[in-house]
Amino acid sequence: KGASAHYQGQRFIDPARPVAPVDTTGAGDAFNAGFLGAWLSGESIVACLRAGNEMGAQAISGRGGFHAGSGDTALAASAAAR
């Protein structure tokens, strides 16, 4: 369904993108890493949700909880959303 956040009295939503799940190991950790990376970079709350969703989607697209280089795509997606 995606991700939502309540921030400063408002609700923000970023829908999930379609992905064929292979292994859900590390999906939550990957989401948190994407979200927090964007947050610490000063991104908007919607961009943070989008970065978290992207990292989570990448995490479930392969076996295991880590895929080399996966963070680069999420950061690029976050930057493109600005």
Side-chain angles (χ1 to χ4, degrees):
K1 293 183 179 182
S4 65
H6 292 269
Y7 179 65
Q8 296 182 341
Q10 295 182 3
R11 183 173 184 208
F12 299 89
I13 299 171
D14 185 64
R17 69 173 173 86
V19 62
V22 175
D23 181 355
T24 60
T25 302
D29 293 333
F31 175 89
N32 290 338
F35 183 96
L36 290 173
W39 180 261
L40 293 172
S41 295
E43 299 290 340
S44 71
I45 193 75
V46 173
C48 293
L49 292 171
R50 187 170 299 123
N53 279 340
E54 179 63 29
M55 291 288 283
Q58 287 185 26
I60 68 172
S61 297
R63 294 213 179 274
F66 175 79
H67 307 288
S70 61
D72 298 339
T73 303
L75 292 175
S78 176
R82 285 191 254 163

